[in-house]
């Protein structure tokens, strides 16, 4: 109740993923430093919206190209950097010596070495996709995790929906409640009719889309 149908339609994907990443798999705490890959994308933007409701959480984003930095900043990131060799040192200059308490990475294992270099003591990395398309590589040796008191975990919304749907349902309900009460206001663009979807899809493919698109049929 109180949530328009077109807004409710976007909840099961990015917003539910972001809620689960922050609260269940990342276990974000007040005052944490959080680094998010693909910060200007649907999940990255949703993480920024939900993290803004928490106390003193600092957000730094990583994006695929320079032209995605501005959308990441608009979404709510304190700073954003294009993904390139050495991005960990750039981000550490923003966060200070402490580093990142939490890194969300949907790029597979391509950036794991940089992610580990970012971590604060007892920091956590959550992998939740393989957008890079590269073959997944083995995780770092156990000794590397011991040295940093670090942990690496994985998350799949698809598998969790099959294996523990009540957890996903609870996250969706929490997001819908935030929307109904007002603290959360996702950006939704309604596309009228299937004939208009091709141009919207092309905007997404070109990296020009913002927020979520819903097709009214």
């Amino acid at each position: 109740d109180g949530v328009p149908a077109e807004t409710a339609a976007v909840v099961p994907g990015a917003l539910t993923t972001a809620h689960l990443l922050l609260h269940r798999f990342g276990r974000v705490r007040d005052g944490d430093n959080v680094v998010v890959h693909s910060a200007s994308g649907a999940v990255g933007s949703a993480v920024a919206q939900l993290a803004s409701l928490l106390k003193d959480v600092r957000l730094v984003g990583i994006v695929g190209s320079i032209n995605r930095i501005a959308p990441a900043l608009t979404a709510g990131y304190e700073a954003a950097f294009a993904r390139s060799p050495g991005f960990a040192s750039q981000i550490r200059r923003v966060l200070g010596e402490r580093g990142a308490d939490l890194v969300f990475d949907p790029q597979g294992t391509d950036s794991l070495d940089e992610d580990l270099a970012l971590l604060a003591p007892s920091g956590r990395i959550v992998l939740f996709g393989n957008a890079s398309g590269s073959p997944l590589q083995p995780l770092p040796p156990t000794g590397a995790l011991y040295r940093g008191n670090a942990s690496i975990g994985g998350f799949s919304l698809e598998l969790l929906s099959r294996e523990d749907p009540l957890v996903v349902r609870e996250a969706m309900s929490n997001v819908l409640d935030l929307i109904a009460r007002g603290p959360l206001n996702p950006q939704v663009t309604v596309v009228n009719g299937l004939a208009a979807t091709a141009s919207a899809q092309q905007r997404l493919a070109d990296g020009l889309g913002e927020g979520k698109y819903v097709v009214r049929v």
Side-chain angles (χ1 to χ4, degrees):
D1 291 342
V3 179
E6 60 269 22
T7 303
V10 308
V11 169
L15 284 164
T16 297
T17 294
H19 193 281
L20 287 164
L21 286 173
L22 284 168
H23 295 288
R24 187 173 184 89
F25 291 84
R27 301 183 302 281
V28 67
R29 299 161 296 195
D30 291 346
D32 272 354
N33 293 336
V34 180
V35 174
V36 184
H37 288 261
S38 300
S40 63
V43 174
S45 297
V47 167
Q49 291 178 65
L50 289 167
S52 71
L53 306 178
L54 303 173
K55 184 179 179 181
D56 298 328
V57 172
R58 298 184 66 189
L59 285 178
V60 175
I62 303 168
V63 294
S65 61
I66 292 175
N67 67 347
R68 301 306 295 169
I69 290 177
L73 297 177
T74 300
Y77 287 85
E78 174 183 334
F81 300 91
R83 190 177 297 107
S84 60
F87 67 74
S89 60
Q90 293 178 296
I91 293 174
R92 272 196 170 273
R93 283 196 288 271
V94 174
L95 295 179
E97 284 304 310
R98 174 178 157 194
D101 300 290
L102 189 57
V103 177
F104 293 134
D105 191 343
Q107 297 293 319
T109 52
D110 283 4
S111 300
L112 263 182
D113 288 340
E114 296 269 24
D115 290 347
L116 283 168
L118 276 172
L119 286 187
S122 73
R124 296 145 354 253
I125 298 168
V126 181
L127 304 176
F128 66 102
N130 187 26
S132 72
S134 301
L136 295 174
Q137 301 301 315
L139 296 180
T142 307
L145 303 182
Y146 286 159
R147 284 193 297 274
N149 287 291
S151 60
I152 300 173
F155 167 69
S156 166
L157 181 63
E158 178 186 357
L159 292 176
L160 189 65
S161 297
R162 293 206 301 260
E163 296 170 358
D164 202 348
L166 292 180
V167 168
V168 177
R169 177 180 177 176
E170 180 183 16
M172 289 175 59
S173 296
N174 288 334
V175 171
L176 287 166
D177 181 61
L178 289 170
I179 296 171
R181 290 191 289 108
L184 190 62
N185 184 27
Q187 181 182 353
V188 178
T189 299
V190 177
V191 177
N192 287 306
L194 294 175
T197 60
S199 60
Q201 180 66 40
Q202 190 60 51
R203 286 186 62 81
L204 294 173
D206 294 339
L208 301 174
E210 295 183 6
K212 296 293 290 183
Y213 290 78
V214 175
V215 181
R216 179 183 288 122
V217 295

